[in-house]
Amino acid sequence: METTTIFAPATTVGDSGLTVIRLSGSDAFAMLGIAFSRKAESFEPVNIGDFKSHSAHHGYLFQGNELIDEVVITFFRAPNSYTGEDLAEISSHGGSYIYRKINNLLSSLGAIHAEPGEFSKRAYLNGKMDLAQAEAVSDLIKAKTEHANRLALKQLSGEFSSKIKSLRDDLINYCSLLELELDFSEEGLDLVSKKELEVKIDNLIAKFLDLTRTYESGKIIKDGVNLAVVGKPNVGKSSIFNYFLNESRAIVSEIPGTTRDYLQEPLIMGGIQFNIIDTAGIRNAIDIVEQEGVRRSKLKIGESDIVVEVEDLSDAGSIADEYVRGVPAEKIIKVFNKLDIATNGKYDSLCVSAKTGERMQELQDSIVEKARSLIRSNESSDIIITNERHRDLLLKSCGYLVNAKEQIISGGGNELISFEIRAAMDAISEIIGKTANVDILNNIFMRFCIGK
Ligand SMILES: Nc1nc2c(ncn2[C@@H]2O[C@H](COP(=O)(O)OP(=O)(O)O)[C@@H](O)[C@H]2O)c(=O)[nH]1
Ligand SMILES: [Mg+2]
């Protein structure tokens, strides 16, 4: 099949040893035939048609008579490439100037700059991987911890897809039996016991729901634990935030209301990824900018997995209760700050000094422990859902199974039952992409990085 030829850097472009540029499509090799030469002195065409798949060739790129760079090009012939098309990986020297020259060269030869995720989208469309596997490629690139990496690798290997396929196969079986029975209805053939089918559907619903529940852990393994630091102005929230980040990211001052908007930064502690959020101290702000900051901070607190509630040991009026109103108690870690200047330490509680670092390790340990318990709640499950799209499709599928069950109970005909089971089947098939439409695909691949 004729395809446009696309290209994009597969590595970040900048001061670096190499830049790798991918070129994929029907004309990829013909284009390089016009630009790739063995000799540096002058352009001398080579016959790329003779090159073996998966072979690397040293040479020079020319635009007309102008030498652009010394390169190594690896050739992958369709269908044995990442995209399933003819594909070349040009390793040039690093640097943005060289990349600009190669970009101009490839564009002048008619190649088009790839959209984000376009190589993976082509890989999916050419059957090199299913949709869940393609999504895993993106997750793998973005993974920042061992755990996130392991889950993405597992999904990429097809283990998750196999599980989905086996659930889908169960549904196909039920449908076939129901529909077969329908074909033989004249003979009064009874292939499926409705009671048995009901039990089977119940089991499937339970399985689907178990899977969707793993998303709670999956999400935080993949996207990080949202950790908000909250409390009254001036208790030392920004100081705690900076201490963990090991830098003066937030402005710290003795003036209450210094942090007017929330700040959010990625952070890894104990092998777990966190998004630590410094909030504006919540008070009845008069200033409209600060009011907006307070409003946004409240939203962030609501979305957090763990909330560190800070009070000032040196200030009896700094009780933070009202700031954590509505936050479930198990999400909260209460800490008293400014231990270094406190005269009345609450020694049975967690007291720290963000200024001197005293007992800050204990605070870190309790945060990590709480995060572990959030993740651990699904550790026994062999599959963990890390993608909201997958979770939503499982829930949608469940909805149809519940309908199917209701049809069975109310004595609905085989057509009606099988219609619901088919809808359930389509919903979970969309996870691996069997039924995904163009908009869904665009929406997924748009979020990939360029060159993947
Ligand atoms: N002595 C002492 N001062 C602190 C400590 N933590 C913060 N501060 C001071 O308290 C003031 C308010 O701190 P800041 O982090 O901006 O508080 P926030 O308004 O809650 O973000 C600043 O003057 C900090 O230097 C601490 O552990 N000990
Ligand atoms: Mg602050």
Side-chain angles (χ1 to χ4, degrees), residues 233-234 236-239 250-253 255 257-260 278-281:
N234 234 18
K237 297 180 296 299
S238 297
S239 303
I251 301 173
V252 168
S253 91
I255 305 164
T258 302
T259 310
R260 306 217 296 184
D278 183 18
T279 57

Side-chain angles (χ1 to χ4, degrees), residues 125-195:
L125 291 172
N126 288 325
K128 302 296 288 187
M129 50 176 122
D130 66 42
L131 202 51
Q133 286 176 304
E135 288 172 314
V137 172
S138 175
D139 291 347
L140 190 59
I141 293 171
K142 291 179 186 153
K144 305 229 168 15
T145 59
E146 188 188 340
H147 209 158
N149 171 281
R150 240 188 300 132
L151 284 185
L153 275 177
K154 208 167 170 177
Q155 192 172 318
L156 183 61
S157 74
E159 206 176 314
F160 172 66
S161 304
S162 305
K163 173 101 178 175
I164 295 297
K165 279 181 202 148
S166 92
L167 293 172
R168 192 194 53 183
D169 289 348
D170 287 347
L171 293 174
I172 293 176
N173 271 336
Y174 306 158
C175 274
S176 318
L177 286 175
L178 285 165
E179 286 163 23
L180 195 67
E181 193 176 279
L182 209 55
D183 289 344
F184 290 95
S185 53
E186 305 271 289
E187 286 84 355
L189 199 65
D190 207 4
L191 290 169
V192 217
S193 136
K194 294 286 161 18
K195 194 69 220 158

